[in-house]
Amino acid sequence: MMLYSGVSWRRRASRFLACRMPGVLLCLAISGLASLLAWAEGSLLGKAWLEPMNLALLVGVCIRTVYEPGRLWVPGIRYCSRTLLNIAIACLGASFSIGAVLSAGPWLLAGVAGIVAFSLAFTCCVGRVAGLPVSQTLLVACGNSICGNSAIMAAAPVIHARDEDVGATIAFTAAGGLVIVLGLPLLAPVLNVSDAARGALAGLTVYAVPQVIAASSPFGLAAVHMGTLVKLMRVLMLGPVCVVLSWLSSGFDGGPRRRTRLVPWYITGFLIMMAGRSFDMIPHGIVAPLNVAATVLTILAMAALGLSIDLRSVMRAGQPLILTVALSLCGLVGASVILVRVMPGG
């Protein structure tokens, strides 16, 4: 009986790998190309303005434009865009220590939470006025308010968003985020605030940690440290926001028990990993490898997402999406400027 079970398990594993391996290898090749392009970008321009995640998405979209992957590739592509991404989000929780966040003081933590809440509400209002569908409005709100690509892709399955909407949202928010990165070093010197406050402004408005470092580095090491800490506080809001979205998307007719089951497992994993890091249950030596694994898996997921996007559908998104992204970022920057001017030490 045990021999039969072992053979059966190996057969299932073999079928699992054979079914998904072509698509996974395709996504892996695209991810490698994206990393190479990012390296070339940094070498030629002195700075990688587009990260491998965004480049993987763009390369995937270009491939899909000229060739639609057939049945051989689809299972592996879906596996990368869903399962591997979910694992990456759970691993991301190990990056956060509640103690480190609380050590910055309650004022800063409350300010970051307030900016995220304001940006979410403001974006939802803008999206409604602009005529953008609710699911896509929520994607824009999560992306701009929290952490860009990761937040969009974490929220997408919770609100049952379509791949086309996810891809279009990521593309436009990435473009808007790039404008913020380029414009912030020009705006910050005009403000009569400390270097640490300028770093906080970068952390509040830019959605990727490397871009936060790029935007705050002209103002010194204190700005970089503050910007990175504030950025991590924003990412910390990903779990609670997705939990709330899960409850809201389930409606109010399924009862508390039904709604609890709709909280995605990867968000639960994110919170468990964060708690483990906070209480020293995760060895410090494996935090960096977990971060690397989360980054690699997210790049694979972005490549898979690009392969799933019909560019014509993205282009049909039109003015409502562009208007929502632009006004959302304006609201986020405006509220963040006000916060850094009134916060202690600003």
Side-chain angles (χ1 to χ4, degrees), residues 6-283:
V7 172
S8 176
W9 182 87
R10 285 195 295 271
R11 285 177 179 172
R12 287 197 297 270
S14 298
R15 285 197 297 267
F16 178 87
L17 291 174
C19 179
R20 290 164 177 77
M21 191 57 66
V24 172
L25 290 176
L26 177 59
C27 294
L28 191 61
I30 292 173
S31 300
L33 178 58
S35 299
L36 183 61
L37 290 173
W39 173 82
E41 185 185 5
S43 300
L44 294 175
L45 304 178
K47 192 177 295 185
W49 295 107
L50 288 177
E51 299 176 29
M53 293 181 190
N54 293 325
L55 290 170
L57 173 68
L58 293 175
V59 173
V61 169
C62 291
I63 292 175
R64 170 63 189 270
T65 302
V66 298
Y67 169 72
E68 182 176 355
R71 295 172 58 185
L72 175 67
W73 313 96
V74 170
I77 292 171
R78 288 180 177 171
Y79 183 72
C80 288
S81 66
R82 297 175 185 176
T83 303
L84 294 186
L85 175 68
N86 294 343
I87 294 172
I89 293 170
C91 291
L92 190 64
S95 303
F96 304 99
S97 168
I98 298 174
V101 173
L102 294 178
S103 66
W107 171 261
L108 183 60
L109 181 58
V112 173
I115 289 293
V116 171
F118 165 80
S119 181
L120 288 168
F122 179 75
T123 305
C124 288
C125 293
V126 170
R128 178 165 184 151
V129 173
L132 194 67
V134 173
S135 62
Q136 204 164 12
T137 298
L138 290 173
L139 293 179
V140 174
C142 290
N144 284 348
S145 305
I146 305 173
C147 56
N149 301 338
S150 298
I152 292 170
M153 297 184 75
V158 175
I159 61 176
H160 312 293
R162 300 179 305 164
D163 284 347
E164 290 83 0
D165 290 342
V166 175
T169 304
I170 287 176
F172 283 104
T173 54
L178 185 57
V179 172
I180 297 296
V181 172
L182 295 174
L184 204 59
L186 302 177
L187 172 65
V190 178
L191 303 175
N192 186 24
V193 294
S194 66
D195 288 341
R198 291 170 181 171
L201 180 61
L204 287 167
T205 54
V206 180
Y207 68 67
V209 173
Q211 291 179 336
V212 169
I213 295 173
S216 57
S217 58
F219 310 115
L221 192 59
V224 172
H225 287 166
M226 179 60 74
T228 303
L229 177 61
V230 170
K231 171 65 192 135
L232 293 179
M233 288 182 177
R234 282 174 67 200
V235 180
L236 192 62
M237 306 298 158
L238 177 62
V241 168
C242 284
V243 169
V244 171
L245 287 177
S246 298
W247 276 56
L248 293 178
S249 66
S250 69
F252 296 93
D253 57 349
R257 187 172 299 175
R258 172 179 169 82
R259 289 198 297 271
T260 301
R261 288 200 300 268
L262 290 176
V263 176
W265 68 264
Y266 56 87
I267 296 300
T268 303
F270 177 94
L271 297 174
I272 290 174
M273 294 289 280
M274 184 180 68
R277 171 70 185 279
S278 301
F279 294 103
D280 292 327
M281 297 171 63
I282 297 178

